[in-house]
Every structure is written in C-alpha cells, then in structure tokens.
Amino acid sequence: MSDFIKKQARAEIFDLKPYTPGKPVEEVKRELGLEDIIKMASNENPLGPSPQAIEALRDSLNTIHFYPDSNCFYLKQRLITFLGIQDNQLMIGNGSDELLKLLVETFINRGDEVIFGSPSFSEYEFTATIMGAKCIAVPLIDFKHDLPAMADAITDKTKIIYLCNPNNPTGTAVSREEVDEFMTRVPDDVIVIFDEAYFEYNECSDFPNGLDYLQQGRNVIVSRTFSKIYGLAGLRIGYMVTTPDIVAAVERVTEPFNVNLLAQIAALAALDDNDHVEASQKMNSEGKAYLYTEFDKMGLKYVPTEANFIFVDTGQDCKEVFKKLMLKGVIIRTGDIFGYPTYIRVTVGNSSENQRFIKALQEILEA
Ligand SMILES: *Cc1c(COP(=O)(O)O)cnc(C)c1O
C-alpha cells in the first residue's frame, strides 16, 4: 500500500477483511486444466433459473438500450400482492447485498454498534465496518444463534441486529418462540434485520416469518433474494420489506437505476413460476436426505440444515479437503474462514452432483 493511499483513504477501509468469494468455475478450469467441474460453493440453485424467466429475458433483450424503470413498478406490484404488504414497504436492490450496504449508509455513524452471530454471513461485518461501526459478534451455540446472548449484547449504542435465519454457513434456524422472546428484549429504536435469503428452503413447522414482526409494528427489516431458490444470482436482484419510514430514509441514499432491466423482468417471471420453486424445493429436500444418509454411513458429523447447504465436519484439515476435492473437479467452501478448521460447507446439488461429491469425498477421506 502506497503512502498516498495510507494518507488519503478513509481509515475504515483498513479495518476490512477482504471477502473471499467462492471460486468461479471458469477460474478453476483455467488453473487446473479441468473440463468437468461442479460448483457446490455458493448456494446457487442446481436446477438453474426458471424456464419462464429465461423466456421473458429472451423476449426483452432488444430493449436493453433503455434505462430500467428506477421504481421497479411491475415487480413491486407483483411482490406486494405476493407478500401481502403495502406498496411503501418495499425496496428492490442490486442483490440483497446492495440493500445491506444502503442500510448501513443510512443508519450507521462512526462508533455505533451492530450485533450479529458468529459465524454468520460476512456481509454484515463488511458493510458495517466500512461505515465505522463497532461490530459485536456473538458466538453461536450448538451452531445456532444464541438469541439470549445477542439480547444481552444490546447497549444504548446498538443500531442494528442482524439475524440470518436460516443461518449461513450453518443452515440452522431459530424458532418462532425463541424470536418472540428475543423481540421482547429489543428496544424499539434498534433495527432488527431478518436476513431470510434461504426462507423458501426451510422445512420447520415453527419458522418465524420476519414479516409477522413488521406487522406488529416493530422496526424490523426482512431481506430476501432472487439469488437462491429463484436461480437468478447472476442477475443481482433482492428485496427488503420494512416500515414506510425506513424505506423513505433508505431511498435517499439509493442510486437511480440500481436494479437492471433484465433482473426486473426475470424476477417478475420467476416469482410466478411456482413449478420451478416447488421443483427446487423437492430437489433440495431429496438432496439433503441423500447427503445425510451418506454422511451417516461415513460416520461424519453434520449440522441438520434448513437451507440449501450443509455444514459438515470432515475430521481433517478442511483446506486439504478443499484442494483434493477441487482436483477432482468439485468446488466447496472451507469452514476455516468461519472458525471451523475441519468443516466444509457444501451446497446441496442435483442428484448427479451430490453423488459425484460423495464419491470424491469418500476417496479423499479413505486415502
Ligand atoms: C446468498 C445470500 C444473500 C443473497 O445475496 P444477494 O446479494 O441477493 O445475491 C443474502 N444473505 C445471505 C445470508 C446469503 O447467503
């Protein structure tokens, strides 16, 4: 780093740990000269995008010389009905990542505190740190959010609490009862962000829908995305539902045209493609069952998941397991970055991907 940057850049950027994204398939192909690679590292939908979304995209390619609708009118109308909310409660973003960043730009002053679980989604710490927040990371208990400890961590400086449910990278969910109890301990001027990126995958009977707390008049934000079950990660589109008050504030810092034209069109079509959503849920459910059975046979401990990925203990150095899997053309995520040096996080794939992953893992662990 040059003296010029050290002197001129904002001090906060030196507090950031660089994000290590899942390796893109093309990069691994190039580096290893491998042709046939499967990516089970970033929780993308193994079924691909909705066929209806693809068709809608084809039909609109000749309109991309226009700027997109900066208000996302049609998509918003559709989402409002879909979610049963008011039209001033919704914001669409260039992925939910953008919305997380806009939220801290709206609310965080240097020295404010934010609370999140550890390990959880890295974007919370990343975005809050840029704005100079003090990050309070509360360790999970049994791989699950420790809500009483998170409530204990609240001070008069607390601005935002992030609740990733189901949690990435562990796949665990906290129950409605636990969240009800937790919410009674959160003061009204603290914002709770329910990050429900994997909402559509959860199979719990007592899953707390963040929208219910919004309905109760609480200052909560519910964040969901088209990147996971809807299969549109490459287009970058997500949304959040919150109070009209918070929407109006966040809109002040939002760029016009933040959501691109193709993303709006694809999201609208994907939302209506129930068959695709159901097929994705079914594939995930079957994939989970298969992987659990195989992990059991291999004697590996894993965390039962409510999402589309599984956190599993390989009993060996995860970085070595990662390298060996990659040489066999399977990309996963290592647990060391989350503080679990023998764990890996694997996205539930389609059946041939799951089988290939298991076969590769068996060969590696038996060797
Ligand atoms: C994948 C993911 C998101 C989605 O991010 P996008 O920017 O919408 O692609 C948000 N939160 C969590 C916890 C995730 O794992």
Short mmCIF file of all heavy atoms in Angstrom, two decimals, residues 77-121:
data_model
loop_
_atom_site.label_atom_id
_atom_site.label_comp_id
_atom_site.label_asym_id
_atom_site.label_seq_id
_atom_site.Cartn_x
_atom_site.Cartn_y
_atom_site.Cartn_z
N GLN A 77 -45.40 -4.23 -7.78
CA GLN A 77 -46.82 -4.55 -7.71
C GLN A 77 -47.03 -6.03 -7.44
O GLN A 77 -47.82 -6.43 -6.60
CB GLN A 77 -47.53 -4.16 -9.02
CG GLN A 77 -47.69 -2.68 -9.25
CD GLN A 77 -48.26 -1.96 -8.04
OE1 GLN A 77 -47.57 -1.20 -7.37
NE2 GLN A 77 -49.52 -2.22 -7.73
N ARG A 78 -46.26 -6.84 -8.15
CA ARG A 78 -46.40 -8.28 -8.02
C ARG A 78 -45.98 -8.76 -6.63
O ARG A 78 -46.63 -9.59 -6.01
CB ARG A 78 -45.57 -8.96 -9.11
CG ARG A 78 -45.66 -10.44 -9.17
CD ARG A 78 -47.06 -10.90 -9.59
NE ARG A 78 -47.22 -12.33 -9.32
CZ ARG A 78 -47.63 -12.84 -8.16
NH1 ARG A 78 -47.95 -12.04 -7.17
NH2 ARG A 78 -47.73 -14.14 -7.99
N LEU A 79 -44.87 -8.21 -6.14
CA LEU A 79 -44.36 -8.62 -4.82
C LEU A 79 -45.30 -8.18 -3.69
O LEU A 79 -45.45 -8.88 -2.69
CB LEU A 79 -42.97 -8.01 -4.58
CG LEU A 79 -41.77 -8.84 -5.07
CD1 LEU A 79 -40.50 -8.00 -5.01
CD2 LEU A 79 -41.61 -10.12 -4.25
N ILE A 80 -45.92 -7.03 -3.87
CA ILE A 80 -46.84 -6.52 -2.84
C ILE A 80 -48.00 -7.49 -2.64
O ILE A 80 -48.35 -7.82 -1.52
CB ILE A 80 -47.34 -5.11 -3.25
CG1 ILE A 80 -46.22 -4.09 -3.03
CG2 ILE A 80 -48.59 -4.72 -2.47
CD1 ILE A 80 -46.40 -2.82 -3.82
N THR A 81 -48.55 -7.98 -3.76
CA THR A 81 -49.63 -8.96 -3.66
C THR A 81 -49.08 -10.27 -3.09
O THR A 81 -49.68 -10.87 -2.19
CB THR A 81 -50.20 -9.28 -5.07
OG1 THR A 81 -50.19 -8.07 -5.82
CG2 THR A 81 -51.59 -9.85 -4.98
N PHE A 82 -47.96 -10.70 -3.63
CA PHE A 82 -47.35 -11.96 -3.22
C PHE A 82 -47.11 -11.99 -1.70
O PHE A 82 -47.33 -12.99 -1.04
CB PHE A 82 -46.04 -12.14 -3.99
CG PHE A 82 -45.28 -13.39 -3.68
CD1 PHE A 82 -45.70 -14.61 -4.17
CD2 PHE A 82 -44.10 -13.35 -2.93
CE1 PHE A 82 -45.00 -15.78 -3.91
CE2 PHE A 82 -43.39 -14.50 -2.65
CZ PHE A 82 -43.83 -15.72 -3.14
N LEU A 83 -46.64 -10.86 -1.15
CA LEU A 83 -46.26 -10.83 0.26
C LEU A 83 -47.38 -10.31 1.16
O LEU A 83 -47.28 -10.39 2.39
CB LEU A 83 -45.02 -9.94 0.45
CG LEU A 83 -43.75 -10.40 -0.29
CD1 LEU A 83 -42.71 -9.28 -0.31
CD2 LEU A 83 -43.17 -11.65 0.38
N GLY A 84 -48.40 -9.71 0.55
CA GLY A 84 -49.48 -9.13 1.35
C GLY A 84 -49.02 -7.92 2.14
O GLY A 84 -49.30 -7.80 3.34
N ILE A 85 -48.32 -7.01 1.49
CA ILE A 85 -47.80 -5.81 2.18
C ILE A 85 -48.29 -4.55 1.46
O ILE A 85 -48.94 -4.63 0.42
CB ILE A 85 -46.26 -5.81 2.20
CG1 ILE A 85 -45.71 -5.92 0.75
CG2 ILE A 85 -45.74 -6.95 3.07
CD1 ILE A 85 -44.23 -5.66 0.63
N GLN A 86 -47.98 -3.39 2.02
CA GLN A 86 -48.32 -2.11 1.40
C GLN A 86 -47.22 -1.70 0.41
O GLN A 86 -46.08 -2.11 0.56
CB GLN A 86 -48.45 -1.01 2.47
CG GLN A 86 -49.44 -1.33 3.57
CD GLN A 86 -50.85 -1.47 3.03
OE1 GLN A 86 -51.31 -0.63 2.26
NE2 GLN A 86 -51.51 -2.56 3.41
N ASP A 87 -47.59 -0.83 -0.54
CA ASP A 87 -46.60 -0.53 -1.59
C ASP A 87 -45.43 0.34 -1.12
O ASP A 87 -44.40 0.41 -1.75
CB ASP A 87 -47.25 0.04 -2.86
CG ASP A 87 -47.89 1.38 -2.61
OD1 ASP A 87 -47.91 1.81 -1.44
OD2 ASP A 87 -48.36 1.99 -3.58
N ASN A 88 -45.58 0.99 0.03
CA ASN A 88 -44.46 1.81 0.50
C ASN A 88 -43.59 1.07 1.52
O ASN A 88 -42.85 1.67 2.28
CB ASN A 88 -44.97 3.13 1.08
CG ASN A 88 -46.06 2.89 2.12
OD1 ASN A 88 -46.37 1.75 2.47
ND2 ASN A 88 -46.64 3.97 2.61
N GLN A 89 -43.72 -0.24 1.52
CA GLN A 89 -42.93 -1.04 2.48
C GLN A 89 -41.82 -1.83 1.82
O GLN A 89 -41.18 -2.66 2.45
CB GLN A 89 -43.86 -2.06 3.18
CG GLN A 89 -44.83 -1.45 4.15
CD GLN A 89 -45.50 -2.55 4.94
OE1 GLN A 89 -46.36 -3.26 4.46
NE2 GLN A 89 -45.06 -2.71 6.17
N LEU A 90 -41.62 -1.59 0.52
CA LEU A 90 -40.77 -2.49 -0.25
C LEU A 90 -39.65 -1.73 -0.95
O LEU A 90 -39.86 -0.65 -1.50
CB LEU A 90 -41.67 -3.17 -1.29
CG LEU A 90 -41.06 -4.20 -2.22
CD1 LEU A 90 -40.56 -5.42 -1.44
CD2 LEU A 90 -42.10 -4.65 -3.25
N MET A 91 -38.46 -2.31 -0.93
CA MET A 91 -37.35 -1.78 -1.75
C MET A 91 -36.69 -2.94 -2.49
O MET A 91 -36.48 -4.00 -1.92
CB MET A 91 -36.30 -1.11 -0.87
CG MET A 91 -36.56 0.36 -0.66
SD MET A 91 -35.10 1.15 0.01
CE MET A 91 -34.12 1.38 -1.47
N ILE A 92 -36.36 -2.68 -3.76
CA ILE A 92 -35.67 -3.70 -4.54
C ILE A 92 -34.21 -3.25 -4.66
O ILE A 92 -33.93 -2.05 -4.78
CB ILE A 92 -36.27 -3.81 -5.97
CG1 ILE A 92 -37.79 -3.75 -5.94
CG2 ILE A 92 -35.77 -5.08 -6.66
CD1 ILE A 92 -38.51 -4.98 -5.53
N GLY A 93 -33.30 -4.21 -4.64
CA GLY A 93 -31.89 -3.85 -4.72
C GLY A 93 -31.12 -4.71 -5.71
O GLY A 93 -31.61 -5.74 -6.17
N ASN A 94 -29.92 -4.26 -6.01
CA ASN A 94 -29.00 -4.97 -6.89
C ASN A 94 -28.39 -6.13 -6.07
O ASN A 94 -27.23 -6.10 -5.67
CB ASN A 94 -27.94 -3.97 -7.36
CG ASN A 94 -26.94 -4.58 -8.33
OD1 ASN A 94 -27.30 -5.39 -9.17
ND2 ASN A 94 -25.70 -4.19 -8.19
N GLY A 95 -29.23 -7.11 -5.80
CA GLY A 95 -28.88 -8.16 -4.83
C GLY A 95 -29.21 -7.65 -3.44
O GLY A 95 -29.28 -6.43 -3.22
N SER A 96 -29.45 -8.56 -2.49
CA SER A 96 -29.68 -8.06 -1.13
C SER A 96 -28.41 -7.47 -0.56
O SER A 96 -28.45 -6.68 0.37
CB SER A 96 -30.28 -9.11 -0.20
OG SER A 96 -30.12 -10.39 -0.67
N ASP A 97 -27.27 -7.85 -1.12
CA ASP A 97 -26.01 -7.22 -0.68
C ASP A 97 -26.08 -5.70 -0.79
O ASP A 97 -25.62 -4.98 0.09
CB ASP A 97 -24.85 -7.71 -1.55
CG ASP A 97 -24.42 -9.14 -1.20
OD1 ASP A 97 -24.99 -9.71 -0.25
OD2 ASP A 97 -23.53 -9.67 -1.88
N GLU A 98 -26.64 -5.21 -1.89
CA GLU A 98 -26.72 -3.76 -2.05
C GLU A 98 -27.60 -3.16 -0.95
O GLU A 98 -27.27 -2.12 -0.36
CB GLU A 98 -27.30 -3.35 -3.40
CG GLU A 98 -27.26 -1.83 -3.55
CD GLU A 98 -28.17 -1.22 -4.61
OE1 GLU A 98 -29.21 -1.81 -4.95
OE2 GLU A 98 -27.86 -0.13 -5.09
N LEU A 99 -28.70 -3.83 -0.66
CA LEU A 99 -29.61 -3.29 0.36
C LEU A 99 -28.93 -3.26 1.73
O LEU A 99 -29.11 -2.32 2.50
CB LEU A 99 -30.90 -4.11 0.38
CG LEU A 99 -31.72 -4.01 -0.92
CD1 LEU A 99 -32.84 -5.05 -0.95
CD2 LEU A 99 -32.30 -2.61 -1.09
N LEU A 100 -28.13 -4.29 2.03
CA LEU A 100 -27.41 -4.30 3.31
C LEU A 100 -26.47 -3.11 3.39
O LEU A 100 -26.31 -2.49 4.44
CB LEU A 100 -26.61 -5.61 3.46
CG LEU A 100 -27.45 -6.88 3.69
CD1 LEU A 100 -26.57 -8.12 3.62
CD2 LEU A 100 -28.18 -6.82 5.03
N LYS A 101 -25.86 -2.77 2.28
CA LYS A 101 -24.95 -1.63 2.26
C LYS A 101 -25.71 -0.30 2.38
O LYS A 101 -25.30 0.59 3.13
CB LYS A 101 -24.11 -1.65 0.98
CG LYS A 101 -22.88 -0.79 1.07
CD LYS A 101 -21.84 -1.25 0.09
CE LYS A 101 -20.61 -0.37 0.19
NZ LYS A 101 -19.67 -0.65 -0.90
N LEU A 102 -26.83 -0.20 1.67
CA LEU A 102 -27.62 1.03 1.76
C LEU A 102 -28.13 1.25 3.19
O LEU A 102 -28.21 2.38 3.67
CB LEU A 102 -28.81 0.95 0.80
CG LEU A 102 -28.46 0.96 -0.70
CD1 LEU A 102 -29.71 0.70 -1.54
CD2 LEU A 102 -27.82 2.30 -1.09
N LEU A 103 -28.43 0.15 3.87
CA LEU A 103 -28.94 0.27 5.24
C LEU A 103 -27.90 0.87 6.18
O LEU A 103 -28.22 1.75 6.98
CB LEU A 103 -29.40 -1.10 5.75
CG LEU A 103 -30.74 -1.55 5.19
CD1 LEU A 103 -31.00 -3.02 5.45
CD2 LEU A 103 -31.87 -0.70 5.79
N VAL A 104 -26.66 0.41 6.08
CA VAL A 104 -25.65 0.99 6.97
C VAL A 104 -25.31 2.42 6.56
O VAL A 104 -25.04 3.27 7.41
CB VAL A 104 -24.37 0.12 7.07
CG1 VAL A 104 -24.67 -1.18 7.79
CG2 VAL A 104 -23.73 -0.14 5.74
N GLU A 105 -25.37 2.70 5.26
CA GLU A 105 -25.14 4.08 4.82
C GLU A 105 -26.21 5.01 5.35
O GLU A 105 -25.98 6.18 5.60
CB GLU A 105 -25.10 4.15 3.28
CG GLU A 105 -23.83 3.56 2.69
CD GLU A 105 -23.86 3.47 1.18
OE1 GLU A 105 -24.91 3.75 0.55
OE2 GLU A 105 -22.83 3.09 0.60
N THR A 106 -27.39 4.47 5.54
CA THR A 106 -28.50 5.27 6.06
C THR A 106 -28.41 5.44 7.57
O THR A 106 -28.70 6.52 8.09
CB THR A 106 -29.85 4.59 5.72
OG1 THR A 106 -29.91 4.35 4.32
CG2 THR A 106 -31.03 5.46 6.14
N PHE A 107 -27.99 4.40 8.27
CA PHE A 107 -28.16 4.41 9.73
C PHE A 107 -26.89 4.51 10.57
O PHE A 107 -26.96 4.89 11.72
CB PHE A 107 -28.94 3.16 10.17
CG PHE A 107 -30.40 3.24 9.80
CD1 PHE A 107 -30.90 2.50 8.74
CD2 PHE A 107 -31.26 4.08 10.50
CE1 PHE A 107 -32.25 2.59 8.38
CE2 PHE A 107 -32.60 4.17 10.16
CZ PHE A 107 -33.09 3.43 9.10
N ILE A 108 -25.75 4.10 10.03
CA ILE A 108 -24.59 3.96 10.92
C ILE A 108 -23.71 5.21 10.96
O ILE A 108 -23.25 5.71 9.92
CB ILE A 108 -23.72 2.75 10.49
CG1 ILE A 108 -24.51 1.45 10.62
CG2 ILE A 108 -22.43 2.67 11.32
CD1 ILE A 108 -24.89 1.07 12.04
N ASN A 109 -23.51 5.71 12.17
CA ASN A 109 -22.47 6.71 12.41
C ASN A 109 -21.28 5.99 13.02
O ASN A 109 -21.43 4.94 13.66
CB ASN A 109 -22.97 7.76 13.41
CG ASN A 109 -24.02 8.65 12.80
OD1 ASN A 109 -23.85 9.18 11.69
ND2 ASN A 109 -25.13 8.82 13.51
N ARG A 110 -20.09 6.61 12.86
CA ARG A 110 -18.89 6.02 13.46
C ARG A 110 -19.14 5.77 14.95
O ARG A 110 -19.68 6.63 15.65
CB ARG A 110 -17.74 7.00 13.25
CG ARG A 110 -16.44 6.58 13.87
CD ARG A 110 -15.27 7.33 13.26
NE ARG A 110 -14.50 6.45 12.39
CZ ARG A 110 -13.74 5.44 12.82
NH1 ARG A 110 -13.67 5.16 14.10
NH2 ARG A 110 -13.07 4.72 11.97
N GLY A 111 -18.79 4.54 15.38
CA GLY A 111 -18.92 4.23 16.81
C GLY A 111 -20.25 3.57 17.19
O GLY A 111 -20.38 3.04 18.29
N ASP A 112 -21.22 3.63 16.29
CA ASP A 112 -22.47 2.89 16.56
C ASP A 112 -22.15 1.40 16.62
O ASP A 112 -21.19 0.95 15.99
CB ASP A 112 -23.50 3.10 15.43
CG ASP A 112 -24.11 4.49 15.47
OD1 ASP A 112 -23.95 5.18 16.50
OD2 ASP A 112 -24.73 4.87 14.46
N GLU A 113 -23.00 0.66 17.31
CA GLU A 113 -22.75 -0.78 17.42
C GLU A 113 -23.75 -1.59 16.61
O GLU A 113 -24.93 -1.23 16.52
CB GLU A 113 -22.79 -1.23 18.89
CG GLU A 113 -21.65 -0.61 19.69
CD GLU A 113 -21.69 -0.95 21.16
OE1 GLU A 113 -22.57 -1.73 21.61
OE2 GLU A 113 -20.83 -0.43 21.90
N VAL A 114 -23.24 -2.65 16.03
CA VAL A 114 -24.12 -3.63 15.37
C VAL A 114 -23.81 -5.00 15.96
O VAL A 114 -22.69 -5.25 16.40
CB VAL A 114 -23.95 -3.66 13.83
CG1 VAL A 114 -24.18 -2.29 13.22
CG2 VAL A 114 -22.58 -4.19 13.43
N ILE A 115 -24.83 -5.85 15.99
CA ILE A 115 -24.68 -7.19 16.58
C ILE A 115 -25.03 -8.24 15.53
O ILE A 115 -26.02 -8.08 14.81
CB ILE A 115 -25.63 -7.33 17.80
CG1 ILE A 115 -25.28 -6.30 18.88
CG2 ILE A 115 -25.58 -8.76 18.37
CD1 ILE A 115 -26.30 -6.23 20.02
N PHE A 116 -24.20 -9.27 15.45
CA PHE A 116 -24.56 -10.40 14.59
C PHE A 116 -23.99 -11.68 15.19
O PHE A 116 -23.13 -11.63 16.08
CB PHE A 116 -24.08 -10.20 13.14
CG PHE A 116 -22.68 -9.67 13.03
CD1 PHE A 116 -21.58 -10.49 13.28
CD2 PHE A 116 -22.45 -8.34 12.68
CE1 PHE A 116 -20.29 -9.99 13.17
CE2 PHE A 116 -21.16 -7.83 12.57
CZ PHE A 116 -20.08 -8.66 12.82
N GLY A 117 -24.46 -12.82 14.70
CA GLY A 117 -23.96 -14.10 15.17
C GLY A 117 -22.60 -14.41 14.56
O GLY A 117 -22.23 -13.85 13.53
N SER A 118 -21.88 -15.32 15.18
CA SER A 118 -20.59 -15.71 14.64
C SER A 118 -20.41 -17.22 14.75
O SER A 118 -20.47 -17.75 15.85
CB SER A 118 -19.48 -15.00 15.40
OG SER A 118 -18.23 -15.48 14.97
N PRO A 119 -20.27 -17.93 13.59
CA PRO A 119 -20.19 -17.35 12.26
C PRO A 119 -21.58 -17.10 11.65
O PRO A 119 -22.52 -17.82 11.93
CB PRO A 119 -19.47 -18.43 11.44
CG PRO A 119 -19.87 -19.72 12.10
CD PRO A 119 -20.05 -19.39 13.56
N SER A 120 -21.62 -16.04 10.82
CA SER A 120 -22.81 -15.76 10.05
C SER A 120 -22.37 -15.14 8.73
O SER A 120 -21.19 -15.20 8.40
CB SER A 120 -23.76 -14.85 10.85
OG SER A 120 -25.02 -14.78 10.24
N PHE A 121 -23.31 -14.56 8.01
CA PHE A 121 -23.00 -14.02 6.68
C PHE A 121 -22.01 -12.86 6.80
O PHE A 121 -22.24 -11.93 7.58
CB PHE A 121 -24.31 -13.55 6.05
CG PHE A 121 -24.25 -13.21 4.59
CD1 PHE A 121 -23.56 -14.01 3.69
CD2 PHE A 121 -24.91 -12.09 4.12
CE1 PHE A 121 -23.54 -13.69 2.33
CE2 PHE A 121 -24.90 -11.77 2.77
CZ PHE A 121 -24.21 -12.57 1.88
#
